[in-house]
Amino acid sequence: MTRIIFLPHEEICPEGMVIEAEPGTTICDAALQNGIEIEHACEKSCACTTCHVIIREGFDSLEEAEETEEDMLDKAWGLEPESRLSCQAVVGDEDLVIEIPKYTINMVAEHH
């Protein structure tokens, strides 16, 4: 199992959280399975940027983003070189430290 450390986020996980994920699981699915309600307005189809995360540690252990993800990331709020869409980033064998940005470009947050 791979450890994923989510840094504190004011609304989603104020205390931060450490979870374990099976390699091959997306960061978004791992978060949702552990009660971290990360937004995913397009239902994880790589058609929006609401699940945007910044990989603070372990970025190089992830497979490279595909062109569709790169195109979507260009629209994300607070884009950084280590940004990924959590619905597309698949957990490997290396532990990760994740920051969920404070804002998304989603105008309406729906609770799934």
Side-chain angles (χ1 to χ4, degrees), residues 2 8 10-11 15 31-33 40 50 54 60 62 66-68 77 83 88 98 106 111-112:
T2 301
E10 188 175 308
E11 295 173 13
E15 305 297 317
L32 294 170
Q33 291 165 5
H40 53 288
T50 59
I54 302 164
D60 292 335
L62 302 173
E66 293 189 12
E67 188 174 342
T68 305
W77 181 90
S83 289
Q88 301 299 303
I98 307 291
N106 196 13
H111 298 285
H112 295 276

Side-chain angles (χ1 to χ4, degrees), residues 47-100:
C48 74
T49 63
T50 59
C51 72
H52 168 228
V53 295
I54 302 164
I55 314 300
R56 293 295 179 203
E57 292 180 25
F59 182 82
D60 292 335
S61 71
L62 302 173
E63 291 183 17
E64 285 191 33
E66 293 189 12
E67 188 174 342
T68 305
E69 179 183 357
E70 292 283 351
D71 290 345
M72 291 305 327
L73 278 169
D74 287 340
K75 302 172 186 176
W77 181 90
L79 183 67
E80 295 193 17
E82 294 81 23
S83 289
R84 291 296 303 267
L85 296 181
S86 65
C87 71
Q88 301 299 303
V90 176
V91 175
D93 293 327
E94 189 176 320
D95 292 348
L96 302 171
V97 176
I98 307 291
E99 179 181 348
I100 301 170

Side-chain angles (χ1 to χ4, degrees), residues 7 25 34 36 38 44 53 56 65 78 98 100 109:
L7 299 175
T25 305
N34 286 277
I36 301 171
I38 193 164
K44 303 180 271 185
V53 295
R56 293 295 179 203
I98 307 291
I100 301 170

Side-chain angles (χ1 to χ4, degrees), residues 35-48:
I36 301 171
E37 295 296 322
I38 193 164
E39 286 190 62
H40 53 288
C42 71
E43 295 299 321
K44 303 180 271 185
S45 66
C46 197
C48 74

